[in-house]
């Protein structure tokens, strides 16, 4: 054979078909072609799968799961984390954030930071997200206890999640509470 070369009618050596000779598609330069191989999606543990909760940018809280999800406009979960709420509280449904207070004081005198309110309980008390309250300088629960329903009605978060929620949710934004 000609060793990958061919000789044209004028006696010049030309590149064999399939080798790059200039602009245009080439079968030997595959690095520029988009890949169609997709790695398998990571498996999400069942407890961490986002429940049915509508569409769009939102925060979702599962009362039974004692878990939150932060969801962007495309429906992608930005993060999920265990939290501590109260059994059967608040009512399920879709709510809008109505106020935010960086450093709030609870009914019991505890300090609650990054308080983002989205509904009210039966007695008219605000319900929202905040960090683990501190009473007399001592947290009222541990981070390890998150996932257990230990609050008076609000949703307690580890501090980094409370800061994320504070930054993520603005007044008017959507919060979905599922059973």
């Amino acid at each position: 054979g000609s060793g990958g070369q061919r000789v044209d009618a004028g006696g010049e050596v030309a590149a064999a078909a399939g080798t790059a000779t200039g602009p245009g598609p080439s079968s030997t330069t595959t690095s520029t072609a988009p890949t169609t191989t997709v790695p398998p999606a990571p498996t999400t543990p069942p407890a961490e799968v986002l429940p049915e909760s509508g569409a769009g940018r939102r925060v979702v809280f599962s009362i039974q799961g004692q878990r939150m999800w932060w969801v962007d406009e495309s429906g992608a979960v930005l993060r999920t984390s265990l939290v501590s709420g109260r059994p059967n509280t608040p009512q399920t449904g879709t709510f809008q954030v109505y106020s935010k207070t960086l450093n709030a004081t609870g009914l019991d005198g505890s300090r609650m930071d990054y308080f983002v309110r989205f509904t009210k309980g039966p007695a008219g008390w605000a319900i929202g997200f905040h960090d683990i309250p501190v009473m007399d300088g001592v947290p009222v629960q541990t981070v390890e206890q998150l996932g257990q329903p230990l609050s008076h009605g609000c949703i307690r978060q580890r501090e980094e999640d409370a800061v994320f929620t504070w930054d993520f949710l603005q007044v008017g934004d959507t919060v979905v509470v599922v059973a």
Side-chain angles (χ1 to χ4, degrees), residues 85-117:
R86 179 179 179 161
N88 305 309
T89 303
Q91 296 273 327
T92 59
T94 301
F95 305 91
Q96 275 66 48
V97 172
Y98 69 84
S99 75
K100 294 171 65 171
T101 304
L102 185 59
N103 306 117
T105 302
L107 297 169
D108 58 3
S110 63
R111 179 181 169 136
M112 305 176 301
D113 293 337
Y114 310 103
F115 196 176
V116 179
R117 298 171 191 85

Side-chain angles (χ1 to χ4, degrees), residues 10-139:
E12 296 291 322
V13 175
T19 53
T21 57
S26 167
S27 62
T28 59
T29 52
T30 55
S31 62
T32 58
T35 181
T36 56
T37 304
V38 177
T43 303
T44 302
E48 296 179 19
V49 172
L50 177 68
E52 193 60 45
S53 57
R57 189 173 182 282
R58 63 200 182 280
V59 166
V60 180
F61 168 59
S62 166
I63 298 169
Q64 289 181 337
Q66 294 293 294
R67 178 173 289 280
M68 278 178 65
W69 294 262
W70 295 259
V71 183
D72 73 9
E73 298 81 3
S74 74
V77 174
L78 300 176
R79 68 198 286 164
T80 182
S81 198
L82 289 173
V83 294
S84 286
R86 179 179 179 161
N88 305 309
T89 303
Q91 296 273 327
T92 59
T94 301
F95 305 91
Q96 275 66 48
V97 172
Y98 69 84
S99 75
K100 294 171 65 171
T101 304
L102 185 59
N103 306 117
T105 302
L107 297 169
D108 58 3
S110 63
R111 179 181 169 136
M112 305 176 301
D113 293 337
Y114 310 103
F115 196 176
V116 179
R117 298 171 191 85
F118 63 88
T119 191
K120 294 184 178 180
W125 300 336
I127 294 177
F129 306 107
H130 55 73
D131 70 348
I132 296 172
V134 174
M135 177 70 91
D136 300 322
V138 180

